[in-house]
């Protein structure tokens, strides 16, 4: 087990302040080395939010004029770079005396114990040991330091020496050796000494990469009508519907209620598609021949890239499409096809560019721009995130009998995804990678997740046993940008919390440095009065069911496209970052949301309790002061609203010194994760549909029925109170309505004659009267209201 793993107790679930050494500090070496350090005094730097990590870079470009083996008459060369105990090899060529590699090796300076860099050129042998052709040796003290933004160091030709270094041999290699940092352009694609144990396809899976989400569009298909529908069985009139398919997405119109050859629907079918458009829109008109049989009577196949792209709410032109029973469709009037078309379909099809395609929940959305780039505004800020390190990670898998973790971090904001490099077999990985995003709206959230890489080609086994090789979740962090002060660097250690069937578990800590820079304060303030989503979401909104279905399809498309990148951002990673299962039922989450609502009304409840104490004269001094304030407000009613706003202003000023000093993080108490029942957790992690035994499913169903019964009772009580208000004037109870009507007449006359200030004063004094003048029984209005009828007695 990891000795540095943090034990699970509640104090470790909190955010912690950290003070890392951020910025640049360069070793001063001069032309031939030397001691000391140079501190960077620049106001800005590309890598000023991370701790600097120094690497020795060796670029192997090519070789020429290599000698051939006397026995085989050929040369199969490759380069071996050796620094101390670390050794890296280039690709091996067959029968080539002038090979080109163009490969970079990076050795961590902290782990280099050698004073020389050795570059060996070797000839591969199939039977015997590989021969040494020659070598080039560099003294570590003479390696130059490259300080960005200097241009890359130019490689030079070096003559090979024999193994003893006594004489020169035939052949030359082109090399460049320098000292640099993770900010070097060669760093992302370099071979790293930290990952020397990874070979073949695993090397691609450990590199840091930046991904861009595919450009998503909503495809709106308005099916208007069809003409000349001829079923296979012409003895019966057709009863048809239209089925539309884009990839794996299939939607159908309603069945035309009348049997006719010219059916009408006027229904919208909405799909999610991504550029480049790989799928076609396939529309089929199908006849309901019997209860269990649908027959295709016509089909049309449309290319997506030829469809009109709508940028506003104005309707697009409708078009008639000819359908054929077995073939492909064509526009009416197309002379290139001699086939006879029997059915015509009237459609209005367009790609919606004024919507934002939701692949995230609106509660923690990271991008709100519409699809069409022509509608984008200028950015209002810059978000910079330094992913420093993780501490105390737990072992995630077993490899060669050892418990280990190969961690990498993924961040998602807007269309840009980033993935850090994978740190091999380390419970305290240090990435020190910095990334930048443009911010178009501060009311957005950046999501960061830490995962264990299970695709290194080494036969890893999950820590919990067998199963599919998927990248395991270590934890997730969300930061809302609107809670950050501008131009301030936040350096904190975030707990990585994961809810498992066994309970809440802390998997480690993620250290981040975050800075939000404002580019235009006026534009940012202006955004606070604008809608959260593009205006098309409000002019032509989708239904809740449509939004849920479209979001699920968008997540699938994004996951498939990013999993085809190199290295792939795998489906399980994308789904975890986008919270694909956030809509699933959870007793724990339901309790958490209920208590969130209760906490909202806690202030109102506290005020009502305080007013009750004032009315009962529990503190006479407070009650007298309330009487004085009440008299002032009655005499000067124009002071009521200014007093309320002044009071809220003073509360805001007073709370300024109590403001949060750190970003928000995952709150275990708010999430109701600390006191959750094990069976509720087991239900939350159950599959859909359930995979549990029948008695367990029955028990959970009965529990859900009891909870729903209590909700049903509360909803019934609310409906009863509303119906009693309606009964005041509905004459369902003639005597009660008569009394209320007479009371209204008397109240109207009294209020018309008596000044409003007197009415208010008398009402307030009556409400604040001393307990000696109060009765413990309910008031007359309350008794009257409770006697009013409702529709509850008419319910079955």
């Amino acid at each position: 087990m990891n000795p540095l793993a943090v034990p699970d107790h509640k104090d470790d679930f909190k955010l912690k302040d950290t003070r890392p050494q951020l910025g640049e500090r360069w070793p001063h070496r001069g032309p031939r080395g030397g001691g000391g350090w140079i501190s960077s005094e620049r106001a800005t730097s590309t890598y000023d939010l991370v701790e600097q990590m120094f690497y020795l870079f060796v670029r192997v470009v090519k070789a020429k004029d290599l000698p051939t083996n006397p026995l085989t008459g050929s040369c199969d060369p490759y380069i071996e770079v050796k620094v101390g105990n670390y050794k890296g090899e280039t690709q091996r060529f067959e029968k080539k005396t002038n090979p080109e590699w163009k490969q970079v090796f990076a050795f961590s300076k902290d782990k280099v114990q050698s004073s020389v860099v050795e570059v060996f050129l070797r000839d591969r042998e199939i039977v015997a040991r590989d021969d040494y052709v020659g070598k080039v040796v560099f003294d570590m003290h003479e390696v130059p330091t490259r300080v960005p933004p200097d241009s890359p160091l130019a490689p030079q030709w070096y003559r090979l020496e024999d193994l003893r270094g006594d004489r020169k041999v035939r052949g030359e290699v082109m090399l460049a050796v320098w000292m640099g940092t993770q900010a070097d352009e060669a760093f992302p694609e370099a071979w790293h000494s930290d990952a020397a144990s990874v070979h073949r396809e695993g090397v691609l899976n450990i590199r840091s990469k930046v991904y861009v989400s595919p450009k998503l569009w909503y495809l709106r298909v308005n099916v208007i009508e069809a003409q000349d529908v001829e079923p296979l069985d012409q003895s019966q009139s057709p009863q048809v519907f239209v089925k539309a398919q884009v990839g794996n997405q299939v939607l159908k119109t309603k069945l035309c209620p009348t049997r006719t050859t010219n059916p009408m629907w006027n229904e919208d079918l909405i799909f999610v598609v991504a550029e480049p458009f790989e799928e076609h829109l396939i529309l089929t008109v199908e006849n309901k021949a019997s209860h269990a049989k649908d027959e295709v009577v016509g089909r049309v196949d449309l290319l997506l890239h030829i469809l009109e792209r709508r940028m506003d709410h104005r309707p697009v032109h409708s078009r008639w499409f000819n359908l054929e029973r077995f073939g492909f469709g064509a526009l009416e009037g197309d002379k290139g096809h001699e086939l006879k078309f029997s059915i015509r379909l009237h459609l209005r099809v367009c790609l919606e560019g004024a919507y934002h395609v939701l692949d995230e929940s609106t509660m923690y959305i990271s991008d709100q721009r519409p699809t069409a780039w022509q509608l984008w505004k200028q950015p209002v800020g810059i978000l910079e995130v330094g992913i420093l390190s993780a501490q105390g990670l737990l072992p995630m898998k077993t490899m060669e009998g050892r418990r280990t973790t190969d961690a990498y971090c993924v961040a998602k904001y807007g269309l840009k995804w980033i993935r850090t490099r994978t740190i091999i077999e380390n419970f305290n990985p240090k990435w020190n990678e910095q990334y930048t995003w443009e911010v178009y709206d501060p009311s957005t959230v950046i999501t960061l997740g830490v995962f264990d890489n299970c695709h290194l080609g080494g036969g890893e086994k999950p820590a919990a046993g067998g199963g599919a090789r998927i990248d395991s979740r270590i934890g997730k962090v969300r930061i809302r940008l609107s809670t950050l002060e501008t131009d301030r660097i936040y350096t904190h250690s975030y707990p990585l919390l994961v809810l498992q069937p066994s309970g809440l578990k802390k998997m480690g800590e993620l250290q981040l440095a975050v800075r939000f820079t404002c580019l235009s304060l006026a534009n940012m303030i202006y955004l606070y009065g604008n809608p959260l989503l593009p205006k098309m979401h409000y002019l032509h909104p989708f239904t809740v069911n449509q939004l849920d279905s479209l979001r699920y399809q968008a997540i699938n498309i994004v996951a498939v496209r990013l999993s085809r990148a190199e290295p792939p951002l795998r489906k399980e990673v994308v789904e975890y970052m986008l919270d694909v299962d956030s809509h699933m039922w959870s007793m724990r989450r339901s309790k958490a949301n209920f208590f969130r609502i209760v906490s909202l009304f806690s202030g109102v409840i506290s005020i009502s309790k305080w007013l009750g104490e004032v009315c009962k004269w529990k503190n006479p001094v407070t009650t007298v002061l309330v009487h004085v304030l009440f008299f002032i407000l009655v005499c000067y009613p124009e002071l009521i609203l200014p007093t309320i706003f002044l009071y809220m202003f003073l509360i805001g000023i007073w709370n300024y010194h109590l403001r949060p000093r750190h970003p928000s993080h995952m709150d275990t108490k708010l999430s109701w994760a600390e006191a959750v029942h094990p069976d509720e957790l087991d239900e939350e992690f159950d599959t859909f549909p359930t995979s549990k035994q029948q008695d367990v499913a029955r028990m959970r169903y009965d529990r859900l029925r009891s909870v729903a019964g209590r909700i049903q009772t509360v909803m019934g009580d609310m409906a009863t109170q509303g119906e009693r208000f309606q009964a005041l004037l509905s004459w369902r109870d003639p005597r009660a309505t008569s009394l209320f009507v007479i009371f209204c007449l008397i109240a109207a006359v009294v209020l018309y004659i008596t000044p409003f200030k007197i009415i208010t004063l008398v009402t307030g004094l009556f409400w604040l009267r001393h307990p000696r003048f109060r009765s413990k029984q309910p008031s007359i209005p309350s008794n009257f209201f409770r006697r009013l009828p409702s529709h509850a007695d008419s319910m079955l």
Side-chain angles (χ1 to χ4, degrees), residues 598-610:
V598 170
S599 65
L600 288 177
F601 290 100
S602 60
V604 178
I605 296 172
S606 301
I607 293 175
S608 63
K609 287 182 178 179
W610 178 78

Side-chain angles (χ1 to χ4, degrees), residues 509-700:
E509 296 179 357
L510 178 64
Q511 294 186 2
L512 301 174
V514 181
R515 177 171 59 205
F516 177 40
T517 305
C518 176
L519 298 179
S520 174
L521 182 60
N523 289 342
M524 188 177 297
I525 294 174
Y526 172 75
L527 284 175
Y528 276 87
N530 282 4
L532 188 66
L533 295 172
K535 63 181 180 180
M536 280 293 288
H537 286 268
Y538 307 97
L539 296 178
H540 297 285
F542 298 124
T543 64
V544 175
N545 289 337
Q546 278 182 321
L547 286 176
D548 288 342
S549 175
L550 292 172
R551 178 173 174 244
Y552 178 75
Q553 298 298 339
I555 291 176
N556 281 341
I557 292 175
V558 173
V560 169
R561 292 291 180 93
L562 293 182
S563 65
R564 287 157 47 182
E566 192 66 48
L569 199 60
R570 302 191 180 276
K571 182 179 180 181
E572 62 270 17
V573 174
V574 175
E575 290 183 345
Y576 180 60
M577 296 290 290
L578 296 179
D579 285 290
V580 68
D581 56 353
S582 61
H583 65 287
M584 298 299 292
W585 161 258
S586 166
M587 181 71 76
R588 172 193 61 83
R589 200 177 290 124
S590 301
K591 286 182 180 179
N593 289 332
F594 172 77
F595 284 105
R596 286 173 61 195
I597 296 175
V598 170
S599 65
L600 288 177
F601 290 100
S602 60
V604 178
I605 296 172
S606 301
I607 293 175
S608 63
K609 287 182 178 179
W610 178 78
L611 290 175
E613 293 176 355
V614 169
C615 295
K616 294 177 181 179
W617 290 72
K618 289 193 173 183
N619 189 338
V621 177
T622 303
T623 305
V624 170
L625 291 176
V626 171
H627 276 79
V628 172
L629 178 62
F630 178 70
F631 274 105
I632 294 174
L633 294 179
V634 169
C635 296
Y636 304 97
E638 63 274 9
L639 297 179
I640 294 177
L641 288 178
T643 302
I644 293 174
F645 284 106
L646 179 62
Y647 180 66
M648 289 192 292
F649 168 77
L650 294 175
I651 290 177
I653 295 299
W654 175 258
N655 288 340
Y656 179 75
H657 74 283
L658 302 175
R659 69 190 185 281
R661 303 301 177 120
H662 53 75
S664 57
H665 63 288
M666 300 296 183
D667 192 329
T668 57
K669 185 176 181 181
L670 179 68
S671 305
W672 208 251
E674 297 176 357
V676 62
H677 192 275
D679 184 69
E680 295 176 1
L681 272 180
D682 186 58
E683 179 185 20
E684 184 171 342
F685 285 94
D686 192 10
T687 57
F688 187 86
T690 181
S691 58
K692 297 298 179 182
Q693 298 293 333
Q694 185 175 3
D695 54 345
V696 176
R698 183 184 295 113
M699 180 271 293
R700 291 175 178 171

Side-chain angles (χ1 to χ4, degrees), residues 447-468:
T447 304
L448 301 101
V450 181
F451 301 87
D452 176 53
N453 196 333
C454 294
H455 296 83
L456 303 182
E460 304 89 342
K461 295 181 180 179

Side-chain angles (χ1 to χ4, degrees), residues 134-386:
K135 71 174 183 177
V136 178
V137 180
F138 298 90
D139 190 336
M140 289 283 290
H141 296 285
E142 297 185 357
V143 173
T145 299
R146 181 187 169 223
V147 181
D150 290 352
S151 298
L153 198 67
Q156 301 180 33
W157 287 104
Y158 293 88
R159 184 75 177 269
L160 295 176
E161 301 175 347
D162 63 1
L163 290 183
R164 294 183 179 180
D166 297 335
R167 60 185 179 85
K168 301 291 184 181
V169 296
R170 180 182 172 187
E172 294 181 80
V173 292
M174 180 179 281
L175 304 171
V177 182
W178 73 95
M179 191 69 70
T181 68
Q182 73 268 37
D184 201 290
E185 296 90 347
F187 181 78
E189 299 295 331
W191 174 94
H192 292 274
S193 59
D194 298 337
S197 60
V198 181
H199 302 286
R200 300 183 184 91
E201 73 278 358
V203 175
L204 296 176
N205 289 322
I206 66 172
R207 290 175 176 170
S208 59
K209 285 292 179 181
V210 175
Y211 306 85
V212 178
S213 289
K215 188 176 184 179
L216 301 177
W217 295 77
Y218 284 137
L219 171 63
R220 186 188 295 270
V221 182
N222 179 223
V223 183
I224 304 173
E225 59 180 330
Q227 287 185 353
D228 304 327
V229 177
E230 297 179 1
L232 298 180
D233 183 6
Q234 298 189 3
S235 63
Q236 295 183 351
S237 298
Q239 189 176 21
V240 299
F241 63 91
V242 175
K243 182 173 75 174
Q245 181 174 358
V246 179
N248 295 326
Q249 306 174 63
V250 179
L251 294 177
K252 300 178 182 179
T253 65
K254 295 178 181 177
L255 196 66
C256 185
T258 58
R259 291 183 175 273
T260 175
T261 58
N262 299 313
M264 297 187 66
W265 297 278
N266 197 24
E267 288 186 37
D268 279 346
L269 306 178
I270 311 296
F271 299 90
V272 179
V273 295
E275 289 187 3
F277 300 123
E278 299 175 351
E279 300 90 359
H280 292 189
L281 170 61
I282 301 174
L283 294 152
T284 56
V285 178
E286 301 187 14
N287 179 37
K288 195 76 174 177
S290 63
H291 179 70
K293 181 181 179 182
D294 299 330
E295 59 181 24
V296 178
V297 296
R299 181 178 183 272
V300 64
D301 191 337
L302 302 178
L303 299 175
L304 297 182
H305 69 270
I306 67 172
L307 301 178
E308 184 175 348
R309 305 188 181 196
R310 186 165 73 158
M311 302 298 176
D312 51 28
H313 63 281
R314 288 175 292 186
V316 299
H317 297 292
S318 61
R319 302 164 73 180
W320 285 96
F321 292 88
N322 295 324
L323 278 65
E324 57 177 282
R325 196 181 303 274
F326 304 103
F328 53 89
L331 290 175
E332 186 179 23
D334 191 348
K335 305 299 183 182
H337 303 285
E338 301 297 333
L339 298 175
K340 182 179 179 181
F341 298 97
S342 60
I343 303 173
R344 297 203 309 164
L345 190 60
H346 195 192
L347 302 174
R348 186 178 284 113
V349 189
C350 67
L351 294 166
E352 297 282 6
Y355 286 91
H356 171 73
V357 180
L358 294 167
D359 58 352
E360 303 167 292
S361 170
T362 54
M363 297 297 104
Y364 26 84
I365 195 170
S366 66
D367 189 19
Q368 302 159 351
R369 292 172 293 170
T371 299
W373 62 267
Q374 295 91 336
L375 303 178
W376 292 359
K377 307 293 185 183
Q378 291 296 319
V380 298
I382 298 294
L383 174 65
E384 298 167 279
V385 178

